[in-house]
Amino acid sequence: MSQSLNYPKTRKDDTVRDQYFGTSVADPYRWLENDTSAATKAWVVEQNRLTTQYLEKIPFRHTIKKRLEALWNYPKYGAPFRIGSYYFFSKNDGLQNQAVIYYQKGLTSQPEVFLDPNKLSTDGTVTAGFAGFSHDHKYAALSINRAGSDWQEMEVMEIATRKKTKDQLNWLKFSGAAWYKDGFYYSRYDEPKSGEELSAANRFHKIYYHRLGTAQSEDQLVFEDKEHPLRYFFAQTTEDDRFLIINSSEGTDGSEIWVKDLSKGQKDFTLLFKGFDHNYSVIDNIGGKLLVHTNEKAPNYRIVLVDPSTKQQQDFVAEKPEKLESAGTGGGKLFVNYLKDASDRIFQYDLKNGKLDHSVELPGLGSSSGWGGNKDDKEIFYVFTSFLYPSTIFKYTIATGKSELFRKSEVKFNPADYETKQVFFPSKDGTKVPMFLTYKKGLKLDGTAPTLLYAYGGFNVSLTPAFSTSNIILLENGGIYAQANLRGGGEYGESWHKGGMLEKKQNVFDDFIAAAEYLEKEKYTSKERLAISGGSNGGLLVGAVMTQRPDLFKVAFPAVGVMDMLRFHQFTVGWGWVVEYGSSAQSKESFENLYRYSPLHQLKAGTAYPATMVTTADHDDRVVPAHSFKFAATLQEKHQGTNPVLIRIETSAGHGAGKPTAKIIEEQADKWAFMFENMGIKTVK
């Protein structure tokens, strides 16, 4: 089915131009940056109307939605964790918009509802989760987000009675609750101006201490930096109430650690690690010393034991050829997660002597999470997942090192019908890049399989195997899910990350293009059956490669993407990405590098682009929707051809976290319908 589309005419302002080191750059859709204006709101309504009309005419869209609802409708549990005498876990009965938080005394008593976020809104757009528990196990701090925004509210509940206290905190962002005695430390910004809450740059992050039972106006300012408005500050306390740790960063890479020994009544903070050339994170303390995960002098990371009073350090777990991805403690043990070709390997060490106890036997190649707990825990509950292994909870006994199945997934899917394999392909410069491929057994390599290629490629983020209920739609219809581990990510340590950042960002796009070429060359698919997908930094990835190689893909899904590389740093927390991308204000070299690949600025008039569905949301205050608005308007203006180029703008939603089940299913149904329709597929199961 081919639909004739009349795109809404978007007003252009040809007077808006910026000067960058002698280069004049037009920005005719600048007015779309004002997300609260009547004109922008009207534009959103018109664009959504066109997109909805297009999607509703796809004959199998309803079939896909019904199948997704059936697949999604099974109980989904989170791994239990212990707080005092209680075990907490989350459960979604199937199609609930938000998971309900339960608790129970011990593991055998009847669970009770501790908090049901579904009762906080009628449409499921308010989320609630734990920000931290008091060390005496009496109180839980709750973090509440509305409509997907990063802004947090914080409340406190008494665990035994489930009663809320009078404590109410506002204008928090990227904050936990670091408990100490009868209160906690948290991070916040000053209240923004009315109307600018979702777009204005966030400046002067600060740490406060809140004492239970008092008003937020009485909270004590603990840490700030008046000379550096564009820094994040995160507070952390150790389980024994001894140390207060402040982790400072100027963006998404590089950190600085400040420490205060609360047991000694220390008034001033000690600078333990100066920023921002390396990453540091405090795992735990062993008496008066701190365990720190770092890539200083170790591109693949190591764990060091540091004495804050002398700053002397020693290797606790030395660097290895594989990346030391993360670590946690529990029950007197240290659990270390290494990545081997983008799959997890877990090892247990003794905290007393730093000796390796043993490796943990996992069910297979995949991803494992939940390795941490309290100092007196006897067991840990972890989750294991892979592309064909739905999230499954295991109970791990620390003393024996043995795992036993605790809760199996009930998703109606037979993994035995499918297979996953990992391939390695050469990028443009010869670098070997890994990619996972998942498909039905017996697949014929004749280039006809509908294929979705997904990647991220940035910010030191490692993409590891994980199960996706939505992807079952693709697999059941003879398709291939491909996940590539591009440079810029963290799969192979800091050298892999640095190989795809700043002036080397083009390597990421080259890797992705090479992945597509490999899939076509090896007859897994063809350019008429290949779709590309990515979100946030991955949205930038899709935007960049579809402008550089529009001939290589049939369908493109840039989601909540960073599309305007010249102005991203001017909105909300965009300044935090300058360490990864550089900025147009930094230098001529940085501007020219960004301008070369900025998706918004590389759209060319008269070019036939892939069928594209841009997705964003009206409450996204991480990557503001103006990126997607301006990109979609420019794409519709310059695109030549019959492929549809649309934008789908979700309402009462943000960057993605906490999105209600109903909205997720709608979005995924629209995605698969759009993809199959534009690949010429006539029938869908």
Side-chain angles (χ1 to χ4, degrees), residues 465-482:
F467 186 79
S468 164
T469 303
S470 175
N471 283 348
I472 297 175
I473 297 293
L474 176 63
L475 300 180
E476 286 182 339
N477 285 280
I480 300 171
Y481 177 72

Side-chain angles (χ1 to χ4, degrees), residues 71-206:
L71 288 168
W72 231 279
N73 196 10
Y74 70 95
K76 292 170 279 290
Y77 291 85
F81 59 92
R82 186 178 65 86
I83 301 295
S85 58
Y86 293 98
Y87 283 85
F88 289 81
F89 65 93
S90 64
K91 178 188 176 185
N92 187 312
D93 287 341
L95 296 176
Q96 288 176 291
N97 275 321
Q98 302 292 341
V100 178
I101 300 171
Y102 292 84
Y103 78 151
Q104 62 191 96
K105 279 210 168 185
L107 286 172
T108 57
S109 65
Q110 186 68 25
E112 299 178 65
V113 174
F114 183 78
L115 178 67
D116 185 355
N118 297 291
K119 294 182 178 180
L120 301 179
S121 64
T122 57
D123 59 359
T125 58
V126 175
T127 63
F130 293 120
F133 295 88
S134 62
H135 295 157
D136 61 8
H137 310 138
K138 290 182 179 179
Y139 298 99
L142 304 174
S143 178
I144 298 169
N145 297 71
R146 300 183 184 277
S149 169
D150 282 335
W151 286 115
Q152 301 165 257
E153 301 165 18
M154 200 168 284
E155 298 176 350
V156 177
M157 285 181 71
E158 190 177 46
I159 292 175
T161 65
R162 285 178 287 180
K163 290 182 179 179
K164 286 186 181 180
T165 67
K166 295 181 180 180
D167 302 87
Q168 177 71 45
L169 308 181
N170 296 300
W171 303 116
L172 285 67
K173 189 173 276 197
F174 311 126
S175 177
W179 284 84
Y180 175 68
K181 294 188 175 178
D182 57 351
F184 54 84
Y185 301 94
Y186 68 95
S187 309
R188 66 160 292 183
Y189 288 104
D190 293 334
E191 182 176 350
K193 292 180 181 178
S194 178
E196 297 183 359
E197 295 90 345
L198 300 178
S199 58
N202 299 138
R203 297 158 60 88
F204 296 108
H205 214 206
K206 301 170 186 175

Side-chain angles (χ1 to χ4, degrees), residues 73 191 419 425 508-509 571 610 617 669:
N73 196 10
E191 182 176 350
E419 63 180 303
F425 60 88
V508 184
F509 313 138
F571 303 100

Side-chain angles (χ1 to χ4, degrees), residues 214-229:
T214 64
Q216 186 176 14
S217 59
E218 298 177 30
D219 290 353
Q220 175 189 354
L221 178 63
V222 174
F223 196 92
E224 67 174 334
D225 189 337
K226 293 181 179 179
E227 295 182 5
H228 300 94

Side-chain angles (χ1 to χ4, degrees), residues 40 53 93 98 222 224 247 279 285 325 352 355 451 519 530 537 548 565-566 580 622 630 658 667 671 676:
T40 300
Q53 288 172 351
D93 287 341
Q98 302 292 341
V222 174
E224 67 174 334
N247 188 308
N279 292 316
N285 70 309
E325 177 76 355
K352 293 179 182 178
K355 300 290 186 181
T451 300
L519 291 169
L530 179 59
N537 173 76
Q548 293 182 15
M565 298 308 297
L566 304 186
E580 183 82 9
R622 186 84 57 82
K630 289 171 25 173
E667 185 177 35
K671 179 185 77 173
F676 291 146

Side-chain angles (χ1 to χ4, degrees), residues 606-623:
T607 302
Y609 288 101
T612 303
M613 187 164 71
V614 180
T615 53
T616 187
D618 62 351
H619 278 65
D620 189 346
D621 49 1
R622 186 84 57 82
V623 180

